[in-house]
Amino acid sequence: MFTFILRRTLASVVVLLLSSVLMFWLTVHSGDPLADLRGSNADNVQQLMDARSATMNLDLEWYERYWIWLDGVAGCFTGSCDFGVNRSGQDVLFMTGLAAQSTLRLVTAATLIAIVVGVALGILTAIRQYSGFDYGVTFAAFLFFSLPVFWAAVLLKEFGAIRFNDWIAGGQLGPLMIILVAAVAAVALSAILGGSTRRKLVTGGATFAFVVGVLVLFNLLNWYRDPISGPFMALLAACGAAVLVTAIVAGIRNRKALYAALTTAVVGIVAYVVLAYTPLLADPSWPGLFGLFVVAIAVSLLIGRLWGGYNKKQVMLVTGVTGVLTSLVVVADILVGYWASFLGLKSRPISTIGSQTPNFTGDFWERLIDYGTQLILPTALLALVSIATHSRFTRSSMLEVLNQDYVRTARAKGLSEREVVVKHAFRNSLIPITTIVAFDFAALIGGAVITETVFGWQGMGQLFITGLRQVDPAPVMAFFLVTGTAVVVMNLLADLAYASLDPRIRR
Amino acid sequence: MTTLDISTSGATETSGDAVLSFEGLSVTFKTQFGEVDAVKGIDLDVRPGEVVALVGESGSGKSVTSTTALGLLPGNARISGTVRVGGKVVGSLDKAGLRKLRGNDVAMVFQEPMTALNPVLTIGDQLTEGLQLHGIAYGKEAEARAAELLRMVGIPEPERRLKQYPHELSGGQRQRVVIAMAISCDPTVIIADEPTTALDVTVQAEILDLLRSLTEKLDTAILLITHNMGVVADMADRVAVMLKGDLVETGTVDQVLNHPRHEYTKRLLAAVPHLGEGPGQFGDVARPAEPVAGEVSALDLRNLVIEYHRIGRPAFRAVDDVTFHVDPGEIVGLVGESGSGKSTIAKCALGLIPAKSGSVSILGQDFRTTRGKRLKELRKRIGVVFQDPAASLNPRFPIGDVISEPLVVHQVGDARSRREKVMELLDAVELPPAVYNRYPHELSGGQRQRVSIARALTLEPELLVADEPTSALDVSVQASVLKMFTSLQERYRFACLFVSHDLAVIDLLAHRVVVMQNGEIVEQGPREDVLRDPREDYTKRLLAAAPVPEPGEQRRRREARHALLTSLGEESAELHL
Amino acid sequence: MSDTQQNAAGPGPGAADVEELLPEAKSYSANQIVLRRFLRHRGAIVAMVVMAAVIVVSFTSIGIGSIPGWWDKDIATAYDKIGDGGPTWEHPFGQDTIGKDYFALTMRGTQISLYIAFGVGIISTLIGTLIGAIAGYFRGIVDSLLMRLTDVVIIIPLLAIAAVLGRMTEGSLNLLILALGALVWTSLARLVRGEVLSLRERDFVMAARAVGTSPGRIIVRHILPNTVGVITVSATLTIATAILLETGLSFLGFGVQKPDVSLGSLISEYQGAFLTRPWLFWWPGLMILAIALSVNFIGDGLRDAFDPRQTSTKE
């Protein structure tokens, strides 16, 4: 296994090296780096041209310049990184550091969302093959495949940001909107749950009534501007999550798993109430939050182990997932609590430019909301295509697996359809998806170039495009280096995921 | 003559004590080409401790019938009639009831042990799952019970096996695990759907022994679905013969196998090659031509070594120091179990894979040194027939093109003469001229294999390499293909390397036999010597394990085999309680 | 036992096998079966109609090159503005900022975009098939080299390397097509390689090799015709990729250059006009969406037709 990973990594490094030569050569030969000066009629043109030639080493052959670049990059291994300078003499390494941060934040968020949503949709459509839900998701997937990204971005900016900001000033849903939202929820839920026509009608009707009720209540409470938060809401949400996780993983009849999950949820919320007044949550830091998260998972697993009995593994899985969800619920609850004060600081919450609001003054949680609101639209846009890819791929992989002999064996044992899907089919259907996720990551980075440009982020895309326009290899190569390395790392992770899912290739 | 015997044997025993019964069962599938009647109203009972064999060729509806007992048919199936398991009517159960029935009352053993187990879960997980689901044992107790089950089916070191994944086990061991899973909840009846078809003959004998001891020691009833008459003779108490969705004959194994009444049963039995009866089983035609003692061997292999390269691991030696030859006009049977290297030798003799060392000489020329035009000329003199009729014809070529392709490659004749040659060959393999313009997917398996043989004979080769040419065919089709094959051999007098795992087929055809195991030759010599009076233990074991389609004789053979195993210091497979 | 066998030898076991021959009166080749399955895919049929309509209208309306079409406005003339330049009977798609007929411009953009998409589709399919087939058939060192070459191209984000090449072509349409075609073949090459790797082990290829058929003939006559499903589906989807890629490049300014217009360059030019002249934004965008969506549905229909194991629509 280790040698396998090592060999793959070495091969990737060689490929990366060759690609860098190709990229460098192409960039250097893509135009004339002095074009803008040649057309200029300033007095000191010659002087400017000489200066730029000197910074960019234009008197050297391209391979000599490549060698200088490579030598600088190789310095990273000895602790003295040098990505070169751009044509104005600025240090590219410094620029890259800032740019990579925001780009990777965007791409990672999009990848995570795409995997979770895409895989979930894929499995649901496979189980409900040929249903209205299946057809709906299929059509939506094709639609997202076919969207020109920046065209959709313009629409998203208009409806997701500008009109939302207008609306949040009042913060009341109109009756038409309420009915529309409720109808969509009703149709979707009844299609997912399936069953006979009668059952679908009942599900749909109940959902419709419930959603309308909730939305009207929200209007009355002015919930969109000043949402109610606090331990009670969090407890409700966490227990809901616990029941849902149990129902999916272990079945609601499995009392041990259910009680274990509920215990986890309650313990989590109690901890939240206690910690809310300590600096750990009131004035947190990233490492502190991460530490809390780790503790939360550990406690959850412990609860699972104590409750688990003969079926420890499964119950620990239930409590572990519940623990993660409860942690998210707590964070969400805190953020919801800060929403009103955030609106006070920034009355138009979602801006269409930049990865964070300049000169924003707020505490940790308010800044987090600011990051979040700025991240939502580009991430959603970027994730859409990947969600479409993953859902289609998962669907076909799941259908393939459901036709396998061992699934028939599992059914012949008397397992329920939920157990067959969760225990036998799910893991097998994930195996081919790991490869696709790695592939898709490269495409996502490409898409990020456009998304960043549309939303005015100062990211890697900006670095790349400016560099290319100016025939300036250093920033272009920095872009390549970051994205290429990210792809290689992603492939490595995919290999590891593959190996952990499939015992056949572990050695 | 149809549906015989139900009245006679059914009247003596009421269906009341049956653990599994089908009454007037019909199954219809809705497909895009209209409705297909897979099962057309059959009645069948299986009683405790009894093995009922459901026999038929592919497409006869035997697997569909058995699947109804678990309620596992796909959604496009319409079922009428009553299926009872224990006292429960399967059709009237709700989902939960059906799940309780599966595993608990009726369990299933599938054909393909390689795919019947989930590759990402450990053996232990898959075994304990059913125990916990049906409330038999939990946790540590379930694990202990699982280990116990593995020990019962004869898997050594069961505790260690529990932690292993299916790919770490051999095919025979996996089938034992599947059987352990089937008996884990102590079902009243087990449905075994071709449980040994994918296994080697020696492993098959072990699995059959194991299944038999199930009925003896646990009083479990077994519905055995098979196409192999030898397996039927070895296992069954009663036999039911299916043909195109109808039950044409039922009775005790002695009645059906020794005194068949229905025309189809007779034909089916007549088509089974019988180990020990030698050539001429299918009439006088089916007797291969005697070899001419030639000056140059058609195929001469000396100290042949073939290795497969594997990335990151040492090369795998598939064939090790093999020496034998095939004389002109002679049929040499190459016998062995899976992994013995027999197909590898066939591919090497065709020049499809290189030899690592040793020599391969065809018609006096060395394959390894012949190049270019001379190599092509040499290839012209060799023909080949492969096992899988579905894969051996290019799906995008009409039959005429398939058969004439060798002529085109070697630029023999013009379009008209090629067409004539194809027509002549179609006639020789007993196919009507109309297939000339048909595509492979429009033909049945047997017809495709005839086309395959016709293609192999297009250039009138002096050496024919046949790699399991009849193994994928139904038994009646196999008989007709074998018959045709021998008559063709008589006519064209080609030398033949005939690779097969089926000793009865080899017995019918070969002049000489080469027995292989793990890449090495165990024994070789004239057919009579090797098959009648084997010297090596392995050959003896192989011969003893091959079942014959006659219950009395098979019982004697089985006892002889157990005696042989005892004399070799091994014990035969059985359930260890 | 042997009695019965000899009795039965009379009727001959083979007779039944031959008698059962050919129940269907009409013979269907593999292609005809694929076509029949394709025609059953409703989404794909609708998509075919839309696609055909887009192609016919875009090329007949304003004509090609010097051949005039049935639309009486051209792309170069600035007409008198009617109102704010919004859609009217005179100018159904409205007018741009200086009064040019936007229908004519959109049709011209559609022509160019289609030209690019199909050009890239054809070139990349040729390259991908060739590389995939050679790598898969010859395996070993050839395979390793070609696949590493594929990796070298794959590891660079597609849009990035396309942008670099797009900048090098400096507005030449045909060079742009060549450049994009030289980039998007990688996934097809991998697919074809996988297919060929499995096909070359199939018995009919073994049989062809045993007879002495040359590698070239085996690849062209025996292997490639059996990968036609994969190739067709992939080629179709490449067309969708290409049209979106061109759009992205034009947005970044490395695609089609003025005075040429493509759908991508039209949206890119007028994306700021969303609030003031929304029609300038909507028409080319919807056009791209219609084309890409049609192509994807056709691809799905083809996939179902070639590989009926997993159809996306119920039969």
Side-chain angles (χ1 to χ4, degrees):
Chain A
M1 188 61 218
F2 177 73
T3 52
F4 171 73
I5 296 288
L6 194 71
R7 204 167 56 231
R8 288 287 299 249
T9 313
L10 275 178
S12 301
V13 169
V14 172
V15 166
L16 206 57
L17 207 62
L18 288 175
S19 301
S20 74
V21 177
L22 177 69
M23 195 73 183
F24 195 91
W25 186 87
L26 283 173
T27 311
V28 166
H29 291 86
S30 68
D32 174 14
L34 301 173
D36 58 323
L37 293 179
R38 289 192 212 284
S40 155
N41 37 20
D43 298 335
N44 56 347
V45 166
Q46 195 53 47
Q47 194 187 337
L48 287 173
M49 278 165 77
D50 289 346
R52 189 180 292 174
S53 297
T55 354
M56 294 177 72
N57 290 322
L58 288 183
D59 49 335
L60 297 178
E61 288 296 326
W62 72 270
Y63 49 84
E64 291 171 300
R65 278 182 272 160
Y66 173 78
W67 187 251
I68 294 172
W69 174 81
L70 191 66
D71 192 45
V73 171
C76 291
F77 294 103
T78 57
S80 58
C81 260
D82 181 13
F83 280 17
V85 291
N86 71 356
R87 73 173 188 187
S88 332
Q90 288 161 308
D91 182 20
V92 173
L93 182 63
F94 176 70
M95 297 158 70
T96 312
L98 292 178
Q101 217 182 25
S102 65
T103 299
L104 290 181
R105 189 163 66 210
L106 175 65
V107 176
T108 314
T111 307
L112 286 179
I113 291 173
I115 293 173
V116 173
V117 179
V119 169
L121 279 179
I123 286 171
L124 283 175
T125 47
I127 298 171
R128 297 267 171 260
Q129 196 187 9
Y130 303 141
S131 67
F133 177 72
D134 185 20
Y135 288 130
V137 171
T138 303
F139 184 80
F142 282 146
L143 192 68
F144 296 148
F145 279 142
S146 314
L147 275 182
V149 173
F150 65 91
W151 188 75
V154 173
L155 290 179
L156 207 57
K157 271 162 116 173
E158 175 65 22
F159 294 102
I162 297 170
R163 301 229 175 147
F164 176 82
N165 288 342
D166 291 347
W167 171 80
I168 197 72
Q172 293 282 315
L173 276 182
L176 192 71
M177 199 62 187
I178 291 180
I179 290 175
L180 203 71
V181 170
V184 169
V187 169
L189 198 67
S190 63
I192 292 175
L193 292 179
S196 61
T197 315
R198 204 185 115 82
R199 205 183 127 188
K200 275 188 189 165
L201 282 176
V202 172
T203 321
T207 314
F208 185 82
F210 178 76
V211 174
V212 167
V214 168
L215 292 181
V216 168
L217 190 69
F218 279 6
N219 268 355
L220 293 176
L221 295 174
N222 193 22
W223 207 84
Y224 304 104
R225 288 196 61 82
D226 190 9
I228 300 166
S229 66
F232 182 70
M233 295 298 275
L235 187 65
L236 216 59
C239 287
V243 172
L244 192 72
V245 172
T246 314
I248 292 174
V249 179
I252 205 76
R253 295 236 178 87
N254 189 334
R255 293 294 151 180
K256 270 186 182 158
L258 183 64
Y259 298 151
L262 287 174
T263 313
T264 312
V266 171
V267 168
I269 300 305
V270 168
Y272 166 40
V273 173
V274 174
L275 290 174
Y277 302 100
T278 68
L280 269 175
L281 279 183
D283 184 21
S285 62
W286 282 114
L289 279 186
F290 183 73
L292 275 184
F293 182 67
V294 172
V295 171
I297 302 304
V299 171
S300 309
L301 292 177
L302 187 67
I303 293 172
R305 205 181 155 77
L306 293 178
W307 266 110
Y310 71 88
N311 214 347
K312 279 192 203 86
K313 249 161 82 188
Q314 195 185 41
V315 176
M316 280 168 77
L317 179 66
V318 171
T319 52
V321 176
T322 310
V324 173
L325 290 180
T326 306
S327 309
L328 290 179
V329 163
V330 168
V331 170
D333 188 71
I334 297 173
L335 292 180
V336 164
Y338 276 92
W339 178 245
S341 69
F342 175 74
L343 278 185
L345 287 170
K346 196 180 171 203
S347 58
R348 294 183 70 79
I350 300 184
S351 34
T352 53
I353 298 286
S355 58
Q356 51 187 298
T357 310
N359 311 321
F360 185 79
T361 51
D363 71 0
F364 179 88
W365 294 110
E366 283 157 346
R367 260 181 299 143
L368 193 60
I369 298 182
D370 183 49
Y371 277 133
T373 49
Q374 294 313 96
L375 199 59
I376 284 176
L377 293 186
T379 312
L381 187 65
L382 204 53
L384 276 186
V385 185
S386 297
I387 288 175
T389 318
H390 294 340
S391 74
R392 294 302 292 164
F393 203 84
T394 310
R395 178 182 182 273
S396 77
S397 162
M398 189 75 188
L399 287 176
E400 187 94 35
V401 169
L402 284 175
N403 275 326
Q404 296 292 317
D405 283 355
Y406 53 79
V407 168
R408 192 180 53 174
T409 310
R411 289 204 176 110
K413 267 185 216 169
L415 294 185
S416 68
E417 208 47 26
R418 180 191 60 73
E419 287 164 306
V420 168
V421 169
V422 172
K423 194 169 174 192
H424 287 267
F426 179 62
R427 203 166 139 191
N428 280 291
S429 71
L430 281 186
I431 292 171
I433 293 164
T434 51
T435 335
I436 288 299
V437 169
F439 259 103
D440 194 66
F441 190 74
L444 267 178
I445 290 179
V449 172
I450 290 184
T451 317
E452 282 177 5
T453 314
V454 177
F455 286 96
W457 284 37
Q458 296 296 320
M460 297 305 294
Q462 195 59 35
L463 202 67
F464 167 73
I465 292 167
T466 319
L468 183 58
R469 287 218 176 96
Q470 300 175 347
V471 199
D472 191 356
V476 172
M477 292 312 287
F479 167 83
F480 166 76
L481 206 61
V482 171
T483 57
T485 313
V487 171
V488 169
V489 169
M490 199 63 196
N491 270 309
L492 203 66
L493 289 178
D495 282 345
L496 288 173
Y498 200 116
S500 72
L501 285 172
D502 190 348
R504 283 165 293 188
I505 73 150
R506 279 180 230 154
R507 281 185 213 139
Chain B
M1 281 295 270
T2 52
T3 324
L4 292 154
D5 249 307
I6 280 184
S7 51
T8 52
S9 70
T12 50
E13 294 170 78
T14 55
S15 62
D17 63 344
V19 284
L20 170 65
S21 72
F22 304 92
E23 289 164 34
L25 177 74
S26 298
V27 182
T28 308
F29 288 101
K30 247 200 232 149
T31 72
Q32 56 183 97
F33 302 111
E35 305 216 322
V36 177
D37 295 321
V39 180
K40 303 166 186 164
I42 66 161
D43 299 273
L44 187 68
D45 285 345
V46 184
R47 285 176 280 274
E50 184 186 45
V51 179
V52 175
L54 194 54
V55 185
E57 299 188 289
S58 42
S60 60
K62 53 190 195 303
S63 287
V64 174
T65 304
S66 63
T67 313
T68 55
L70 284 116
L72 274 176
L73 283 180
N76 63 340
R78 216 180 47 232
I79 306 166
S80 63
T82 316
V83 181
R84 260 182 246 276
V85 176
K88 299 171 191 160
V89 177
V90 175
S92 70
L93 294 172
D94 61 353
K95 275 185 182 167
L98 208 53
R99 287 204 298 270
K100 249 189 109 182
L101 177 90
R102 293 176 190 157
N104 224 353
D105 297 313
V106 53
M108 191 119 189
V109 176
F110 295 103
Q111 169 173 355
E112 195 47 82
M114 301 319 241
T115 55
L117 294 172
N118 192 332
V120 305
L121 297 178
T122 59
I123 303 293
D125 275 345
Q126 300 187 56
L127 266 168
T128 51
E129 184 178 51
L131 296 171
Q132 296 180 353
L133 181 75
H134 294 291
I136 289 173
Y138 299 96
K140 287 267 174 276
E141 202 186 323
E143 266 174 44
R145 172 84 182 137
E148 177 68 16
L149 285 165
L150 289 186
R151 197 184 55 74
M152 279 165 72
V153 296
I155 291 184
E157 298 181 80
E159 282 79 12
R160 193 170 65 89
R161 292 294 180 191
L162 285 181
K163 294 190 178 62
Q164 288 188 318
Y165 291 93
H167 71 274
E168 297 170 82
L169 272 59
S170 71
Q173 280 179 326
R174 282 190 225 184
Q175 196 64 314
R176 285 169 194 260
V177 171
V178 174
I179 292 174
M181 247 155 70
I183 60 173
S184 63
C185 299
D186 203 9
T188 44
V189 57
I190 290 178
I191 295 173
D193 189 351
E194 304 268 10
T196 58
T197 306
L199 304 174
D200 280 326
V201 57
T202 50
V203 185
Q204 160 170 301
E206 287 169 19
I207 296 292
L208 292 180
D209 281 343
L210 182 61
L211 285 173
R212 189 177 311 101
S213 75
L214 278 184
T215 62
E216 284 161 10
K217 298 191 176 173
L218 301 176
D219 210 26
T220 313
I222 295 181
L223 179 63
L224 177 73
I225 293 143
T226 184
H227 67 279
N228 187 331
M229 288 299 177
V231 171
V232 174
D234 193 41
M235 283 290 293
D237 298 311
R238 286 194 301 130
V239 182
V241 184
M242 275 191 93
L243 170 65
K244 292 177 186 162
D246 274 321
L247 213 52
V248 295
E249 183 162 357
T250 17
T252 65
V253 66
D254 180 62
Q255 279 171 349
V256 176
L257 259 51
N258 290 342
H259 312 285
R261 293 206 243 159
H262 192 274
E263 203 51 45
Y264 175 72
T265 318
K266 287 182 188 166
R267 211 167 62 214
L268 206 58
L269 283 166
V272 183
H274 198 135
L275 179 61
E277 291 191 4
Q281 288 186 43
F282 301 138
D284 284 338
V285 198
R287 176 159 286 152
E290 287 305 309
V292 279
E295 54 280 10
V296 199
S297 291
L299 172 68
D300 194 5
L301 305 176
R302 278 179 209 279
N303 307 102
L304 181 65
V305 175
I306 305 170
E307 286 187 349
Y308 286 115
H309 294 283
R310 298 178 297 186
I311 297 172
R313 280 189 291 172
F316 171 69
R317 184 162 286 207
V319 173
D320 194 4
D321 194 20
V322 161
T323 304
F324 72 90
H325 65 99
V326 182
D327 279 332
E330 184 186 39
I331 302 179
V332 171
L334 190 56
V335 194
E337 299 190 295
S338 50
S340 64
K342 56 189 194 304
S343 284
T344 307
I345 291 182
K347 289 213 168 79
C348 185
L350 290 163
L352 295 176
I353 32 183
K356 183 163 185 289
S357 66
S359 77
V360 183
S361 123
I362 313 265
L363 303 159
Q365 295 185 47
D366 191 346
F367 236 140
R368 302 180 68 191
T369 54
T370 316
R371 292 268 182 280
K373 230 178 144 55
R374 290 191 45 183
L375 180 65
K376 202 171 168 181
E377 281 302 310
L378 183 57
R379 285 187 182 286
K380 206 175 148 183
R381 300 162 70 185
I382 320 169
V384 57
V385 183
F386 286 111
Q387 170 175 1
D388 185 359
S392 58
L393 306 181
N394 188 340
R396 301 206 156 253
F397 276 25
I399 300 305
D401 285 7
V402 169
I403 300 177
S404 65
E405 171 82 357
L407 297 172
V408 178
V409 169
H410 290 282
Q411 293 157 357
V412 179
D414 56 12
R416 243 191 66 193
S417 71
R418 283 175 196 161
R419 196 187 158 85
E420 276 166 19
K421 178 76 189 170
V422 172
M423 289 304 176
E424 177 201 320
L425 283 162
L426 283 177
D427 185 52
V429 296
E430 296 160 25
L431 286 173
V435 296
Y436 190 90
N437 288 316
R438 296 300 171 101
Y439 284 87
H441 65 89
E442 297 177 277
L443 270 53
S444 72
Q447 290 166 343
R448 282 185 222 165
Q449 206 59 317
R450 287 163 190 270
V451 172
S452 239
I453 294 173
R455 173 183 56 189
L457 298 178
T458 313
L459 293 166
E460 298 184 10
E462 289 151 74
L463 172 68
L464 185 73
V465 177
D467 187 359
E468 305 259 14
T470 61
S471 302
L473 304 176
D474 274 330
V475 59
S476 64
V477 181
Q478 161 172 294
S480 66
V481 170
L482 286 176
K483 199 172 141 188
M484 185 201 73
F485 187 85
T486 41
S487 72
L488 285 173
Q489 204 264 338
E490 194 177 42
R491 182 160 147 197
Y492 292 101
R493 301 256 165 191
F494 46 79
C496 178
L497 177 64
F498 196 100
V499 179
S500 180
H501 69 278
D502 191 337
L503 292 164
V505 170
I506 294 292
D507 191 21
L508 181 82
L509 279 177
H511 299 109
R512 280 193 306 118
V513 179
V514 177
V515 183
M516 292 200 61
Q517 184 193 19
N518 300 331
E520 292 176 28
I521 291 184
V522 176
E523 184 167 1
Q524 61 173 313
R527 176 176 54 80
E528 287 80 8
D529 294 359
V530 177
L531 296 186
R532 302 287 175 274
D533 185 21
R535 279 173 286 123
E536 299 297 322
D537 288 344
Y538 179 71
T539 319
K540 284 180 191 162
R541 218 183 290 201
L542 211 55
L543 279 163
V548 297
E550 202 283 307
E553 187 188 343
Q554 175 58 24
R555 194 175 313 117
R556 282 191 296 281
R557 288 180 60 92
R558 186 167 68 227
E559 279 152 14
R561 177 172 152 269
H562 289 169
L564 172 71
L565 288 180
T566 316
S567 75
L568 294 173
E570 295 169 23
E571 53 180 312
S572 49
E574 61 172 336
L575 204 61
H576 304 277
L577 287 178
Chain C
M1 189 69 204
S2 54
D3 297 8
T4 47
Q5 277 176 346
Q6 265 150 27
N7 289 347
D17 185 36
V18 182
E19 276 163 22
E20 277 175 38
L21 190 69
L22 319 170
E24 271 179 289
K26 197 178 172 322
S27 160
Y28 294 106
S29 71
N31 289 338
Q32 285 164 314
I33 291 175
V34 166
L35 183 67
R36 272 163 47 130
R37 283 204 215 103
F38 181 75
L39 292 177
R40 224 180 284 130
H41 193 292
R42 223 174 300 151
I45 296 304
V46 174
M48 285 289 265
V49 173
V50 172
M51 192 72 192
V54 167
I55 293 174
V56 168
V57 171
S58 66
F59 280 93
T60 59
S61 57
I62 57 167
I64 310 161
S66 56
I67 310 164
W70 47 262
W71 188 243
D72 56 355
K73 317 271 191 314
D74 61 53
I75 58 168
T77 318
Y79 298 91
D80 290 338
K81 283 229 272 195
I82 302 173
D84 61 352
T88 54
W89 286 114
E90 192 62 21
H91 301 285
F93 281 19
Q95 289 169 283
D96 78 353
T97 38
I98 56 167
K100 284 184 186 172
D101 179 56
Y102 206 54
F103 177 75
L105 274 172
T106 308
M107 288 304 118
R108 176 71 185 155
T110 308
Q111 283 184 4
I112 300 281
S113 288
L114 285 174
Y115 178 58
I116 294 176
F118 279 91
V120 171
I122 291 168
I123 290 177
S124 69
T125 303
L126 288 178
I127 301 179
T129 307
L130 191 71
I131 290 190
I134 291 177
Y137 187 78
F138 291 102
R139 301 191 297 190
I141 188 90
V142 180
D143 182 27
S144 302
L145 282 178
L146 287 176
M147 284 300 111
R148 289 298 85 76
L149 172 70
T150 319
D151 287 345
V152 166
V153 179
I154 283 180
I155 208 167
I156 310 175
L158 178 60
L159 192 84
I161 190 164
V164 178
L165 288 181
R167 194 183 195 293
M168 289 172 91
T169 60
E170 292 174 334
S172 159
L173 206 55
N174 289 328
L175 279 181
L176 182 68
I177 291 175
L178 214 59
L180 296 187
L183 290 181
V184 294
W185 51 267
T186 49
S187 63
L188 177 67
R190 279 167 173 255
L191 283 174
V192 170
R193 171 178 172 270
E195 284 283 296
V196 173
L197 274 178
S198 88
L199 279 169
R200 80 189 296 285
E201 300 301 326
R202 290 272 289 278
D203 286 348
F204 69 87
V205 174
M206 288 288 178
R209 282 173 60 197
V211 164
T213 317
S214 66
R217 188 176 164 89
I218 288 181
I219 293 179
V220 174
R221 286 274 287 164
H222 291 278
I223 292 183
L224 285 185
N226 283 294
T227 59
V228 75
V230 171
I231 294 175
T232 319
V233 172
S234 174
T236 318
L237 300 181
T238 307
I239 290 175
T241 310
I243 219 164
L244 294 176
L245 185 61
E246 183 275 324
T247 314
L249 283 189
S250 295
F251 170 71
L252 297 178
F254 302 118
V256 172
Q257 306 291 329
K258 280 189 168 180
D260 261 336
V261 290
S262 71
L263 291 175
S265 70
L266 282 177
I267 315 181
S268 155
E269 189 170 348
Y270 296 115
Q271 58 163 327
F274 181 73
L275 290 176
T276 49
R277 295 187 178 81
W279 58 90
L280 295 180
F281 171 81
W282 283 104
W283 288 118
L286 289 178
M287 214 64 188
I288 292 179
L289 196 59
I291 296 172
L293 201 55
S294 303
V295 169
N296 275 319
F297 266 100
I298 293 170
D300 189 52
L302 286 171
R303 189 180 0 233
D304 283 3
F306 280 113
D307 182 11
R309 275 179 313 161
Q310 269 184 22
T311 51
S312 65
T313 48
K314 203 175 186 172
E315 281 159 351

